Amino acid sequence: MTGALDALLALVVLIDEDMKTSLAREDLTVPRAHLLWHVHHHGPTTQRALADALRVTPRNITGLVDGLVASGHARRGPHPDDRRATLVSLTRRGATTMAAMDRAHQELARTLFADLPEGQFRAFVAGLAHVTDRVQAALAEAGG
Amino acid sequence: MTGALDALLALVVLIDEDMKTSLAREDLTVPRAHLLWHVHHHGPTTQRALADALRVTPRNITGLVDGLVASGHARRGPHPDDRRATLVSLTRRGATTMAAMDRAHQELARTLFADLPEGQFRAFVAGLAHVTDRVQAALAEAGG
DNA sequence: TATTGTTATACTCTATAACTATA
DNA sequence: TATAGTTATAGAGTATAACAATA
């Protein structure tokens, strides 16, 4: 059974590599894309909310947003009701990049699963759910 | 089909988290554990060979080994035939940690798959192979 | 007082380039 | 000349702690 686990871990490494190289082409890193993704799907967001959503410290968000502003993907704006807060939103470039990423995401899903026989696809999804459940249980038990 | 991809990506994130928290308990990080794992399974290794195996620069290996020496998991020794090279080997602590990691690895595999019906398990493994194949093809095509 | 985001500081992983000691 | 590993330097992600502005 360790063979299946090894295959799963190898896939994890591959997907990580694939993400990193795709994102590098857009001048992005995984954490920055994650932030952009959140703003893309939730609209302009305070840095505090981003820190909670990405589960990193506020200080870290400052750094990520700095990078995204420098690369032209995001912009800081004032919060209408709270002068302490800043709202992070997408620039034209950021929006274009995210739209392309949505399309790439859908196409990747097709590439991965399109020619998998229907029954096998369903079994795979079920197995995935089972394994995810197990990992979550293990994490909870370990006190994560 | 994007649902299945999202589930897979969520699992990737979970496994990554699980790894990081488990390793932190042993004073290790993922790259350091990767290095240790290689030495554990291949015996004393030169830093050059480690750089090739982990696909990072030699400079980076210097840093990883520095950390592992500081934490007491690894040791540098002379190469018998080449006075330029150093051989990285495990200390008692490193060997103990790796043995425990081998056991944890096997137990994790059991935890994840043990109560999965035989047929579903086989379908999952087959799906995994299929998806891995696809990701590899995508990476090769993208010129990785 | 509490919250938002910042500066200050530190650690890890990563890279390139220049250098030392050996081969 | 080429190779093994180092120092020097830089950038990204992460963290804690102290602080300013605002609530």
Side-chain angles (χ1 to χ4, degrees):
Chain A
M1 260 171 334
T2 58
L5 176 55
D6 291 343
L8 184 57
L9 293 175
L11 179 59
V12 165
V13 170
L14 272 182
I15 287 181
D16 190 60
E17 270 180 47
D18 182 49
M19 262 194 213
K20 278 196 269 201
T21 57
S22 311
L23 290 173
R25 249 173 258 132
E26 304 276 358
D27 272 329
L28 287 175
T29 60
V30 170
R32 286 179 193 180
H34 191 179
L35 192 160
L36 232 43
W37 186 264
H38 189 275
V39 175
H40 176 54
H41 284 99
H42 294 81
T45 310
T46 65
Q47 296 192 185
R48 175 72 232 179
L50 287 170
D52 292 340
L54 308 200
R55 300 206 296 181
V56 297
T57 60
R59 176 59 185 94
N60 207 335
I61 298 294
T62 299
L64 295 177
V65 174
D66 283 352
L68 287 165
V69 169
S71 64
H73 290 95
R75 152 189 340 117
R76 283 186 173 96
H79 190 289
D81 311 334
D82 188 339
R83 287 195 301 177
R84 292 172 307 181
T86 66
L87 279 178
V88 178
S89 53
L90 301 185
T91 59
R92 179 79 59 82
R93 181 184 186 189
T96 306
T97 301
M98 283 302 101
M101 206 170 285
D102 271 340
R103 288 194 300 275
H105 185 74
Q106 280 165 28
E107 188 179 320
L108 177 60
R110 268 197 300 278
T111 302
L112 295 189
F113 303 120
D115 53 356
L116 204 57
E118 175 67 19
Q120 212 175 41
F121 175 70
R122 271 207 300 272
F124 177 71
V125 170
L128 211 54
H130 178 92
V131 168
T132 299
D133 228 53
R134 285 307 170 163
V135 176
Q136 245 155 2
L139 263 173
E141 190 191 325
Chain B
M1 260 168 336
T2 58
L5 176 55
D6 290 344
L8 185 56
L9 293 175
L11 178 58
V12 165
V13 170
L14 272 183
I15 287 181
D16 191 58
E17 270 179 48
D18 181 48
M19 260 193 217
K20 277 195 271 202
T21 57
S22 310
L23 290 173
R25 249 173 259 131
E26 302 277 358
D27 273 329
L28 287 175
T29 61
V30 170
R32 287 179 193 179
H34 191 178
L35 193 159
L36 232 43
W37 186 264
H38 189 276
V39 174
H40 176 54
H41 284 98
H42 293 81
T45 310
T46 64
Q47 295 193 186
R48 175 71 232 179
L50 288 170
D52 292 339
L54 308 198
R55 300 206 297 181
V56 296
T57 59
R59 176 60 185 91
N60 208 335
I61 298 294
T62 299
L64 295 176
V65 173
D66 283 351
L68 287 165
V69 168
S71 64
H73 291 95
R75 150 184 347 113
R76 284 187 172 96
H79 190 289
D81 310 335
D82 187 340
R83 288 195 301 177
R84 293 170 307 179
T86 66
L87 279 179
V88 179
S89 53
L90 302 184
T91 59
R92 179 79 60 83
R93 180 185 185 187
T96 306
T97 301
M98 283 302 101
M101 206 170 285
D102 271 340
R103 286 194 300 274
H105 185 75
Q106 279 166 28
E107 188 178 322
L108 177 60
R110 267 196 301 276
T111 302
L112 295 189
F113 304 119
D115 53 356
L116 202 59
E118 174 68 18
Q120 214 175 41
F121 175 70
R122 271 207 300 271
F124 178 70
V125 171
L128 210 55
H130 178 92
V131 168
T132 300
D133 228 52
R134 286 306 171 164
V135 176
Q136 244 155 3
L139 263 172
E141 191 190 326

